[in-house]
């Protein structure tokens, strides 16, 4: 059976829409009754989904942070006393802002883990599998849900939070682990470590299913990971604010990431007008949680750029719509350089196309009064040892694909940062640092 919950995943659309409205109505009632924050924002006489989207204001991250600053640590948002929480999680705060903090009740966590089970079962995970979750097991929600979902599904779980990359490679090989959860950046790190150890992951290990989530990645990176491990690489995404997995890639159609519609009511809005866009058009994902009871989320503006497609274009039998390619990029990741929009994934797609590059970093600087993308690369296995031609080839391909001529610099082997268990940060906007210097 390809469905974790066949009734929910194949429900006729009119029944699914009615079910979502019932769940939303109950969630609204709870929030108005118990949350000071939501009581001020939610009208009391919402009559339909359309009425809801027309009258409820968008929720931005700044709103969450302001509430938490006013009444720490969770703000006035909770619909239950935080003392009933059994888990605490928070965002990384890597953007320079304070982290968004959340808690989960027993019921919340049960629901969250179930969203992971839905995704993993669709990817082909079954009770006889062995799974390893390669992340830091810290306050970030990350792959905590995957760990517990594997347990709930009956798999044997190898938590590897305290291990270094070499130990993780040995674990994969020695125990013939079939399921692996990690970020795309860390998958690349494990591949590099395995090469240093003389391990051919595709031949010496037995990984069959990889859930590589938590950050956007290029198609080239996905293919590279799949070839190196000899495994099928899937996409999935969730957020700390939402509390579970809101989308997962379907095996029946590459890059078709089904929305977990019973768990999330999703809108796609134009980034500037904030009006709905149609199927096949890019927009910003706006989410409403339909499962959490402690900290509820209504019309959260996520900054995620997506393209929504209708359910019947997948062919797997699910009646859930899907995002084409998952999260394509983030609004706050995009930078304008000499009139051209540039994102980290665009740069990665170019640089990862060169097998002679082991790692890279990029930045935007003001060089002689001109905004410039600077790409630093670590070379490896360069034919004839001529690294100058490598720089020239990267420059040429970058200009051809993106439309801007970058400044490509060589870095000493091992000098650039590796991302062991966290999201990669390979593009830094340093114009404010270089404009006057």
């Amino acid at each position: 059976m390809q469905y974790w919950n066949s009734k929910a995943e194949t429900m006729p659309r009119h029944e699914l829409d009615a079910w979502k409205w019932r769940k939303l109505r109950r969630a609204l009632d709870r929030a108005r009754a118990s949350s000071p924050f939501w009581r001020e924002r939610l009208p009391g006489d919402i009559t339909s989904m359309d009425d809801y989207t027309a009258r409820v204001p968008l929720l931005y991250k700044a709103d969450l942070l302001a509430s938490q600053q006013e009444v720490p640590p969770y703000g006035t948002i909770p619909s239950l006393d935080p003392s009933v929480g059994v888990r605490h999680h928070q965002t990384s705060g890597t953007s320079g802002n304070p982290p968004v903090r959340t808690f989960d009740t027993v019921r919340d966590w049960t629901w969250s883990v179930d969203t992971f089970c839905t995704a993993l079962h669709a990817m082909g995970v079954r009770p006889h599998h062995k799974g390893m979750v390669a992340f830091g097991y810290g306050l970030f929600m990350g792959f905590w849900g995957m760990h517990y979902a594997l347990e709930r599904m009956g798999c044997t779980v190898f938590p590897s939070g305290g291990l270094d990359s070499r130990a993780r490679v040995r674990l994969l090989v020695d125990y013939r682990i079939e399921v692996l959860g990690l970020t795309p950046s860390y998958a690349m790190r494990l591949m590099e470590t395995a090469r240093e150890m003389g391990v051919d992951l595709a031949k010496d290990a037995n990984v069959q299913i990889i859930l590589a989530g938590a950050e956007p990645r290029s198609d080239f990176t996905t293919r590279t990971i799949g070839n190196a491990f000899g495994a099928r690489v899937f996409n999935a995404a969730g957020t700390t604010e939402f509390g579970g997995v809101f989308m997962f890639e379907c095996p029946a159609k590459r890059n078709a990431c089904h929305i977990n519609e019973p768990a999330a009511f999703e809108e796609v809005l134009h980034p500037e007008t904030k009006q709905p866009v149609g199927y096949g058009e890019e927009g910003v994902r706006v989410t409403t949680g339909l499962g959490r009871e402690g900290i509820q989320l209504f019309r959260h503006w996520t900054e995620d750029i997506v393209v929504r497609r209708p359910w019947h274009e997948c062919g797997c039998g699910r009646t859930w719509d899907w995002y084409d390619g998952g999260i394509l990029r983030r609004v706050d990741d995009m930078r304008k350089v000499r009139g051209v929009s540039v994102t980290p994934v665009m740069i990665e797609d170019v640089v990862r196309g060169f097998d002679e590059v082991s790692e890279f970093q990029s930045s935007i600087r003001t060089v002689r009064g001109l905004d410039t993308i600077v790409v630093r690369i670590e070379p490896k296995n360069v034919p004839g040892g001529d690294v100058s031609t490598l720089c020239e080839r990267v420059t040429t391909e970058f200009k051809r694909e993106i439309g801007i001529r970058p400044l490509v610099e060589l870095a000493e082997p091992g000098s650039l940062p590796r991302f062991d268990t966290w999201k990669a940060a390979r593009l830094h906007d340093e114009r404010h640092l270089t404009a006057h210097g």
Side-chain angles (χ1 to χ4, degrees):
M1 185 181 68
Q2 61 179 325
Y3 310 119
W4 177 250
N5 186 330
S6 58
K7 182 178 180 179
E9 294 179 55
T10 61
M11 184 178 292
R13 285 297 302 188
H14 69 279
E15 293 183 19
L16 177 61
D17 290 340
W19 185 27
K20 286 159 61 179
W21 166 236
R22 291 194 299 271
K23 295 177 77 170
L24 175 59
R25 190 171 55 200
R26 288 196 297 269
L28 290 169
D29 289 343
R30 170 185 288 277
R32 281 190 294 257
S34 306
S35 167
F37 179 88
W38 288 116
R39 192 177 300 124
E40 295 178 359
R41 297 174 67 98
L42 299 175
D45 55 347
I46 296 173
T47 58
S48 66
M49 288 286 200
D50 289 341
D51 191 31
Y52 168 75
T53 59
R55 298 174 60 197
V56 174
L58 294 170
L59 174 73
Y60 297 94
K61 186 174 183 178
D63 300 323
L64 299 174
L65 293 175
S67 178
Q68 290 185 172
Q69 186 174 13
E70 179 185 354
V71 183
Y74 302 110
T76 58
I77 298 169
S79 298
L80 289 172
D81 190 317
S83 65
V84 303
V86 296
R87 301 186 67 86
H88 169 93
H89 291 289
Q90 62 188 47
T91 57
S92 65
T94 52
S95 63
N97 292 318
V100 175
R101 302 177 179 91
T102 67
F103 67 87
D104 287 292
T105 67
V106 171
R107 186 179 298 173
D108 288 338
W109 190 242
T110 300
W111 166 81
S112 178
V113 171
D114 191 73
T115 66
F116 253 105
C117 289
T118 301
L120 293 172
H121 194 274
M123 296 171 191
V125 178
R126 295 296 183 267
H128 63 272
H129 284 141
K130 299 182 289 292
M132 184 173 85
V133 186
F135 91 117
Y137 285 83
L139 292 175
F140 173 60
M141 199 162 202
F143 289 91
W144 277 107
M146 180 174 179
H147 176 112
Y148 282 85
L150 289 170
E151 287 187 354
R152 183 182 296 180
M153 297 173 77
C155 302
T156 303
V157 186
F158 293 74
S160 65
L163 302 181
D164 62 19
S165 297
R166 296 179 70 87
R168 285 182 172 130
V169 170
R170 287 195 295 269
L171 202 65
L172 289 174
V173 173
D174 292 346
Y175 287 92
R176 309 290 291 169
I177 292 171
E178 297 103 337
V179 181
L180 177 61
L182 73 183
T183 65
S185 297
Y186 189 56
M188 302 294 284
R189 173 60 171 158
L190 278 187
M191 289 157 49
E192 183 181 35
T193 301
R195 284 194 298 267
E196 294 169 355
M197 297 170 63
V199 173
D200 184 334
L201 290 169
K203 294 180 180 179
D204 302 333
N206 189 40
V207 180
Q208 300 166 20
I209 299 168
I210 297 177
L211 194 168
E215 60 188 26
R217 76 296 190 96
S218 67
D219 283 342
F220 184 86
T221 296
T222 300
R223 291 194 300 271
T224 301
I225 294 170
N227 291 336
F229 281 88
R232 180 78 186 266
V233 181
F234 291 97
N235 192 359
T239 66
T240 302
E241 295 91 339
F242 175 73
V245 172
F246 62 82
M247 72 165 199
F248 58 89
E249 187 173 359
C250 183
K253 188 177 182 67
R254 188 169 180 271
N255 284 329
C257 294
H258 282 287
I259 303 166
N260 191 333
E261 294 206 50
F265 170 51
E266 300 262 317
E267 308 167 61
V268 183
L269 306 184
H270 190 280
E272 296 176 2
T273 67
K274 307 297 193 291
Q275 295 302 305
V277 301
Y279 285 130
E281 299 180 59
E282 283 194 0
V284 176
R285 188 178 68 86
V286 173
T287 191
T288 294
L290 299 177
R292 231 175 185 182
E293 64 176 2
I295 291 184
Q296 298 179 268
L297 205 64
F298 299 97
R299 301 204 75 210
H300 180 220
W301 179 269
T302 65
E303 302 283 347
D304 297 335
I305 297 290
V306 295
V307 172
R308 187 165 179 158
R309 305 297 308 182
W311 63 274
H312 56 79
E313 291 185 0
C314 178
C316 69
R318 287 182 184 81
T319 53
W320 299 350
D321 285 351
W322 48 278
Y323 290 135
D324 193 354
I327 297 171
L328 303 178
R329 60 186 182 276
R330 289 181 54 82
V331 174
D332 49 7
D333 278 346
M334 186 179 294
R335 298 291 184 268
K336 282 278 190 177
V337 183
R338 286 180 261 161
V340 177
S341 297
V342 180
T343 66
V345 171
M346 292 167 63
I347 298 174
E348 180 178 2
D349 210 21
V350 171
V351 179
R352 290 296 187 200
F354 292 86
D355 290 337
E356 305 97 314
V357 176
S358 62
E359 190 53 89
F360 75 98
Q361 281 279 295
S362 56
S363 60
I364 307 173
R365 305 178 194 169
T366 303
V367 179
R368 294 187 291 275
L370 188 67
D371 287 351
T372 303
I373 296 179
V374 180
V375 182
R376 303 188 70 220
I377 58 175
E378 282 187 28
K380 65 169 184 180
N381 302 327
V382 179
D386 188 354
V387 295
S388 62
T389 60
L390 173 61
C391 292
E392 292 172 5
R393 286 186 288 123
V394 172
T395 300
T396 300
E397 184 67 9
F398 197 106
K399 177 68 166 64
R400 187 179 72 85
E401 289 291 331
I402 299 178
I404 301 176
R405 184 178 178 83
L407 176 61
V408 180
E409 302 176 342
L410 292 175
E412 291 294 323
S415 64
L416 297 182
R418 269 58 173 177
F419 300 92
D420 284 354
T421 56
W422 184 229
K423 300 179 183 181
R426 292 195 179 90
L427 176 61
H428 304 273
D429 194 337
E430 300 175 356
R431 283 175 283 194
H432 65 291
L433 301 176
T434 57
H436 303 291

